Amino acid sequence: MTEEFEPTSEPTPPAKQPRTPRGTLSLALMAYIVGNTVYGLPMVLAPGLLWGTIGGADGDARTALESNRWVGALLLVLAFGALLVLRQPSGQRTFVTTLAMGDAAMSALLVLEVLGGGFDDVLDIWFVWLTAVGLALISAALWWGRLKARHVLAN
């Protein structure tokens, strides 16, 4: 009593292919580009609205924060640099490493700032924690992408 195997008429879906090293790096760079653009563009175009909405800054504090448009410009320039690496990653290992280190350092400093008790308002704290976690995740993605695509980034 043997059972014969009858093929089903339903095709089986193809197995999901693992992400390529360049695809992993591209995903990390896209996250970096989006993150920097989301923070940088409002800092350049409407810093008073941004800081007033997030931290409730008003008066002299708001005016002082509005003078930091250059930070937004820097974030946008770094996003543009990441876009260039996305298009041509060969020889860009140092730049990707620098981006990952920068996001890791900023995340760590934001966590230390919150733990040091520098904030009184809950609106300030949630924004800083959100930013710190986002930076940590993007930094980890960049490190992972750099590791996976080390031969792509080599000269």
Side-chain angles (χ1 to χ4, degrees):
M1 184 166 124
T2 61
E3 293 182 24
E4 290 188 33
F5 175 74
E6 292 185 30
T8 61
S9 61
E10 297 177 24
T12 58
K16 184 177 177 184
Q17 297 296 322
R19 189 178 310 277
T20 64
R22 185 170 179 150
T24 303
L25 178 64
S26 295
L27 185 63
L29 288 169
M30 286 303 298
Y32 184 85
I33 291 166
V34 168
N36 274 25
T37 303
V38 164
Y39 279 84
L41 206 54
M43 290 174 95
V44 169
L45 298 178
L49 179 64
L50 172 72
W51 299 122
T53 303
I54 293 168
D58 56 355
D60 291 338
R62 187 172 183 163
T63 304
L65 289 170
E66 285 177 355
S67 68
N68 287 330
R69 287 179 192 257
W70 65 271
V71 176
L74 179 63
L75 290 173
L76 292 175
V77 167
L78 288 171
F80 183 72
L83 183 63
L84 294 176
V85 172
L86 186 67
R87 292 193 49 162
Q88 183 63 277
S90 179
Q92 299 300 323
R93 181 180 10 206
T94 304
F95 186 68
V96 174
T97 304
T98 303
L99 297 180
M101 288 171 48
D103 275 8
M106 287 187 291
S107 177
L109 288 172
L110 287 172
V111 169
L112 289 174
E113 190 173 346
V114 170
L115 295 177
F119 297 98
D120 299 328
D121 190 7
V122 72
L123 288 176
D124 296 339
I125 294 172
W126 78 263
F127 180 72
V128 173
W129 276 115
L130 179 69
T131 304
V133 169
L135 287 168
L137 291 173
I138 291 172
S139 177
L142 284 169
W143 281 111
W144 182 248
R146 181 192 178 282
L147 178 69
K148 294 288 282 183
R150 59 188 171 272
H151 67 279
V152 175
L153 291 167
N155 289 335

